[in-house]
Amino acid sequence: MNNLDQISPVSSEVNADGHLVLGGVDVCALAAEYGTPLYVMDLQTLRARCQAYQEGLSARYPDVLVAYAGKAHLSTGLLLVLAQEGLGIDVVSEGELYTAFQAGMAPEKIVFHGNNKSIAELVLAVKYDIRLVVDNLHELENLSGVCAKLGKNARILLRLKPGIEAHTHSYIRTGQVDSKFGMDLPDMCKALETISQAPWCDFLGFHGHIGSQIFQLEPYQDLVAFMIDQMILARDVYGLLVKEVDLGGGLGVLYTEADSPPAISSYLRLLATSLKTSCEAKNLPLPKLIVEPGRSIVGQAGVTVYTAGTIKPIPGIRDYLFVDGGMADNMRPLLYQAEYTWVVANRMLEQPVHTYTIAGKFCESGDVLAKDINLPEVSVGDYIVSYTTGAYNYSMASNYNRFCRPAVVLVGDGQSRVLVKRETVLDVLRFDEWETA
Ligand code: LLP
C-alpha cells in the first residue's frame, strides 16, 4: 500500500475518464449535482474505522466504550452510521447532546465534557443520567446544588491533568500542567475527599486526554501508568473504587506523506494490554475502558471538493489558484499550519507538472489552503480536491464574510445522500433584526 492509499478514502478509485470516484460515485458528478465547495464523506472508510475501534478494543479488553468525539464532525445522519457500528459519543455542548438524542443514542453511551459547563448543561446531564466528566472543583460544587434541586444523583468521572507532554501543535495539546482542562493532583484530592462524603455522587472514575494528532504511543503508556497511580490513591486513601477509566482520544492520521501515525490496532493493543496488566499487578478490578477517538474515525473519510476559478500568476514568485471556498470551510491551515494532500478530480491520470498556491475567496491574505504544491495543469472549472478533511473542517466552519457553509454528502454503494444541506443566503440572514427609520 502506498501512502496515497492511506490518505485517500478507502473506496477511492479512478474511472476510465480519469475522474476520482468515491463510494462508487464520480466526484465530478457529485460536484455538478450538489455544487461546490462540497464536503464528501465515504461510508466505507467510516465503517472500517468504527470497526477497527470496536473490534480492536473488544477483542483485547472485556468492558469497553468507544465514545466518538463529536467535535470532530457531527450531524444526525453521520452519528446514525456510527451508532449502527456500536459507537457511543463524547459531547461538549447542548447542540452536540441534542444531536446524540436525535440519533437515538442511549444515555449510557454518552460522555459529557466541558471546562465551563453551564447550570443548564449540568441539569440536562443529571436529568438524563448522562456520564459527566467534571473538569474542576467549582463544577463539582455547582453539581451538588443541581443534584440537591433535582433530587437525583450525578454519575461522574474526574478530568485529570496527567502532566504529559505530547508532541503535537501547542493549540491541540491538552494534558500538560499549563492547560485549561482538568484538575491537578491537589484539586483531584480535594474532589475525591468531597466525593467520598457525597451521597449525591456516583463516582465512576477518571478521564485524561493528552492531545490530538499524536504519532507516538509512549505518552499513552505514561497516561495508563498515571491513571493506575490515581486508582490506587482513590482506593487506598478515599475508599473509592474506580469503575471507569477514560483515556481520551488523540490518535493521529495521515494528511501528507510526511505523517506517520501508528495503526489503530497498535494503539488499542497498547491501551488495553497496559491497563489490564497494570490492574492485575496492583490488584485493581478491571475498570470499563473508554476511548474518545475523533479524527481517526472521520478524518480520512472526508474530502472537500472545490471548483477552480481564477489562476493568477505573480511572475517570478508564485501562481495562485483560487478556489470557491477557503478558510471558512477549512480553518486548519491558518490556525495550525496544517498541510493537506491535493488532487484534481477530473485529471487523476495526469502528471503533477505545475506548482500552485491554492488560495480561497475570503477577505484575508492568510486565506491560503496550500502553498507551492504540484498538480496537473489546471483549467478554470476543474474540480480541486483536498483529502483528509473529514475531521475539524465542517465542524469548525464559519460564515466569515457571510458566505454560506457547504453541504455534506455521504457516498457509498454507488449512491450519495445529503447529511447536511448547503446553507443559503436566507440562512445567513435568518437572525438579523433591524428597524427601518
Ligand atoms: N476527547 C477530548 C476530551 C478532546 O478534547 C478531544 C479533542 C478528543 C477526545 C478527540 O481527539 P481526536 O481523536 O480527534 O484527536 N481542532 C483541532 C483539534 C482539537 C481537538 C480537541 N479535542 C484540529 O483541527 O486539529
Side-chain angles (χ1 to χ4, degrees), residues 69 71 90 159 172 209 212 250 292 294-295 332 336 392 396:
K71 68 206 78 168
D90 126 23
R159 178 157 183 171
I172 52 179
H209 170 77
S212 197
E292 299 171 343
R295 193 187 316 262
R332 300 191 71 260
Y336 317 116
Y392 304 109
M396 289 169 69

Side-chain angles (χ1 to χ4, degrees), residues 79-135:
L79 191 55
L80 279 168
V81 172
L82 273 45
Q84 272 173 7
E85 296 294 338
L87 271 64
I89 182 165
D90 126 23
V91 299
V92 294
S93 68
E94 274 190 78
E96 289 186 356
L97 181 61
Y98 278 106
T99 311
F101 287 157
Q102 189 155 274
M105 196 59 85
E108 67 267 18
K109 289 200 153 184
I110 304 178
V111 183
F112 199 156
H113 277 285
N115 62 300
N116 188 23
K117 296 183 197 77
S118 66
I119 298 292
E121 286 170 331
L122 294 177
V123 165
L124 259 177
V126 173
K127 210 163 134 186
Y128 291 101
D129 291 320
I130 288 161
R131 180 190 286 101
L132 265 168
V133 180
V134 173
D135 180 86

Side-chain angles (χ1 to χ4, degrees), residues 113-418:
H113 277 285
N115 62 300
N116 188 23
K117 296 183 197 77
S118 66
I119 298 292
E121 286 170 331
L122 294 177
V123 165
L124 259 177
V126 173
K127 210 163 134 186
Y128 291 101
D129 291 320
I130 288 161
R131 180 190 286 101
L132 265 168
V133 180
V134 173
D135 180 86
N136 54 66
L137 294 174
H138 183 236
E139 185 180 326
L140 198 59
E141 210 178 299
N142 284 343
L143 196 54
S144 99
V146 166
C147 289
K149 216 168 184 171
L150 295 180
K152 277 198 80 178
N153 278 18
R155 308 174 65 236
I156 71 162
L157 289 109
L158 296 183
R159 178 157 183 171
L160 306 181
K161 275 185 199 184
I164 293 166
E165 293 279 341
H167 296 277
T168 185
H169 194 287
S170 61
Y171 290 7
I172 52 179
R173 210 186 287 151
T174 44
Q176 75 279 16
V177 177
D178 183 11
S179 164
K180 72 167 186 166
F181 296 107
M183 303 180 191
D184 56 18
L185 291 184
D187 278 2
M188 178 197 75
C189 290
K190 285 183 201 147
L192 291 174
E193 178 69 42
T194 304
I195 291 167
S196 65
Q197 295 159 26
W200 52 268
C201 183
D202 296 340
F203 177 63
L204 299 178
F206 295 124
H207 171 282
H209 170 77
I210 54 177
S212 197
Q213 184 61 353
I214 293 174
F215 290 165
Q216 299 89 21
L217 289 180
E218 295 76 27
Y220 287 103
Q221 181 108 48
D222 297 344
L223 179 62
V224 172
F226 171 84
M227 288 297 185
I228 295 287
D229 288 347
Q230 311 326 314
M231 287 167 76
I232 295 171
L233 189 139
R235 178 191 64 187
D236 296 352
V237 180
Y238 300 97
L240 291 169
L241 191 68
V242 167
K243 299 179 202 126
E244 297 187 353
V245 167
D246 184 335
L247 299 175
L251 182 67
V253 301
L254 272 120
Y255 286 94
T256 70
E257 297 195 345
D259 296 330
S260 54
I264 292 174
S265 56
S266 318
Y267 160 72
L268 296 177
R269 185 177 316 115
L270 176 108
L271 297 186
T273 318
S274 46
L275 188 59
K276 217 152 97 181
T277 6
S278 317
C279 282
E280 280 159 13
K282 303 289 179 188
N283 246 337
L284 292 160
L286 281 192
K288 180 195 273 291
L289 171 54
I290 305 177
V291 289
E292 299 171 343
R295 193 187 316 262
S296 51
I297 298 277
V298 290
Q300 195 188 346
V303 311
T304 307
V305 188
Y306 303 96
T307 301
T310 300
I311 297 167
K312 186 188 276 186
I314 306 185
I317 301 186
R318 57 174 39 91
D319 289 355
Y320 277 105
L321 161 57
F322 295 157
V323 292
D324 55 352
M327 61 181 280
D329 60 74
N330 187 356
M331 280 294 288
R332 300 191 71 260
L334 197 51
L335 205 51
Y336 317 116
Q337 300 76 51
E339 292 181 5
Y340 289 82
T341 300
W342 295 77
V343 291
V344 180
N346 51 310
R347 299 182 188 276
M348 295 299 286
L349 299 174
E350 295 178 31
Q351 292 305 311
V353 290
H354 197 126
T355 305
Y356 294 101
T357 286
I358 301 183
K361 58 188 291 169
F362 296 87
C363 286
E364 188 143 333
S365 304
D367 176 27
V368 169
L369 293 174
K371 272 208 183 102
D372 299 329
I373 57 154
N374 295 326
L375 291 176
E377 201 64 49
V378 170
S379 297
V380 174
D382 282 355
Y383 294 126
I384 313 294
V385 170
S386 167
Y387 286 134
T388 335
T389 60
Y392 304 109
N393 276 228
Y394 163 66
S395 64
M396 289 169 69
S398 78
N399 289 116
Y400 183 45
N401 293 156
R402 294 217 138 185
F403 275 99
C404 303
R405 274 177 292 195
V408 185
V409 300
L410 181 72
V411 291
D413 304 320
Q415 303 201 324
S416 66
R417 67 182 170 88
V418 175

